[in-house]
Amino acid sequence: MNIFGSGRFLSHRGKVETEMVGPVSISGESLFSNRWVKAIGIVLACGVASELVYFAYKRIKRMCCDNAVRNNDQKQFVEEVLFFPDAQIACKEFFVGDGCRRLNCRFTHEHNSLSRLYTFLADAKQSLDVCVFVICCADLGDLLVTAHKNNVRVRVICDDEQIDITGSQIWRLRKEGIPVRTDNSSYLMHHKFVVIDGTHLLTGSFNWTRQAISGNQENLVALRNMRIVSQFSSEFEKLWKEFDPKRYNESSLHRYEDLPVS
Ligand SMILES: [Zn+2]
């Protein structure tokens, strides 16, 4: 293909002058291949751009949905009953952490009983008095540690025979500085209740284990009836004193004897 071009030269008068030169020859094959390169480049650029737009759209859409779910879950403490098992484990980071950053989170971001339990515990402002037979769930242990670090007074009572079982959170809690007391008895410390800020209560059959969350039939009642809550508070205080290791020799609650055969 030929096209015309121009050139510059120094005339005999010492001036720079312009004259038409050419025709300039550019091969048709070269121009053709340049066009193809451009076309492919444009297609690739469009493809990448559309991927980026789609990725951003998905991300924004998910953030909007997540915020809606989180906001809805942060409602005030209400009296309700939670039933377990949950079909999926709730994502702790999503409901009470800094937000879930996993693109493919294997935990659910949908409301369920565990997500409510997370919220109840994370909402504690002053105190968490936990009196539960067994504590093996690391996510719930995390919430106690976080509360303790946020200057919430956390106290834990559990059964002495459960503190060394696989997954037990008790030694970890103690290491973090959370006081844990146990019975010292062949009988069981079989309660499952939590008093939150001295004003709210969680009680039921629910132990703090993964099996209770995702396998067992369990219930947990959330109450703020002060008449009931104060009775549980008193029971906690009574056990806290009785389970003081200094009193192991004098308390009637610490005893080892042959249990009756059922
Ligand atoms: Zn998540």
Side-chain angles (χ1 to χ4, degrees), residues 4-17:
F4 286 90
S6 63
R8 289 182 153 205
F9 67 94
L10 194 63
S11 74
H12 64 280
R13 293 187 295 271
K15 287 173 64 182
V16 176
E17 296 185 4

Side-chain angles (χ1 to χ4, degrees), residues 62 91 93-94 100 102 105 107-109:
R62 185 175 162 187
C91 176
E93 285 72 24
F94 174 72
C100 178
R102 293 176 282 242
C105 181
F107 304 107
T108 184
H109 291 184

Side-chain angles (χ1 to χ4, degrees), residues 90-255:
C91 176
K92 178 169 65 68
E93 285 72 24
F94 174 72
F95 286 103
V96 291
D98 295 330
C100 178
R101 293 186 176 82
R102 293 176 282 242
L103 269 181
N104 296 305
C105 181
R106 64 194 174 98
F107 304 107
T108 184
H109 291 184
E110 302 289 324
H111 290 291
N112 62 17
S113 295
L114 183 59
S115 74
R116 289 296 289 145
L117 177 56
Y118 286 155
T119 309
F120 289 142
L121 297 175
D123 279 351
K125 303 286 186 297
Q126 297 167 12
S127 62
L128 275 171
D129 290 332
V130 181
C131 187
V132 176
F133 176 62
V134 54
I135 300 179
C136 287
C137 175
D139 283 341
L140 295 174
D142 288 345
L143 292 184
L144 298 185
V145 172
T146 301
H148 173 69
K149 287 179 176 171
N150 289 334
N151 298 317
V152 173
R153 185 191 64 177
V154 180
R155 297 184 292 179
V156 175
I157 294 173
C158 69
D159 188 78
D160 61 340
E161 289 164 53
Q162 303 302 314
I163 63 175
D164 290 322
I165 65 171
T166 304
S168 171
Q169 297 293 299
I170 297 306
W171 293 107
R172 174 191 169 211
L173 298 179
R174 283 178 164 161
K175 197 174 163 194
E176 293 286 349
I178 296 173
V180 180
R181 291 185 181 177
T182 67
D183 61 335
N184 184 35
S185 164
S186 50
Y187 291 91
L188 303 180
M189 200 312 291
H190 209 234
H191 285 308
K192 292 104 182 170
F193 71 86
V194 184
V195 178
I196 302 169
D197 292 337
T199 55
H200 299 80
L201 173 72
L202 303 172
T203 186
S205 65
F206 182 78
N207 270 314
W208 287 21
T209 65
R210 277 293 177 98
Q211 183 176 313
I213 294 166
S214 57
N216 296 348
Q217 311 300 319
E218 308 274 9
N219 71 79
L220 199 53
V221 181
L223 290 174
R224 55 179 173 181
N225 177 314
M226 276 313 292
R227 191 174 60 83
I228 303 294
V229 175
S230 64
Q231 291 180 58
F232 275 89
S233 276
S234 299
E235 178 68 11
F236 187 93
E237 295 299 341
K238 183 190 91 180
L239 294 180
W240 190 252
K241 284 194 186 93
E242 295 284 347
F243 293 162
D244 183 340
K246 293 179 205 130
R247 301 198 59 195
Y248 273 2
N249 294 329
E250 54 189 84
S251 170
S252 63
L253 295 181
H254 300 288
R255 60 192 192 278

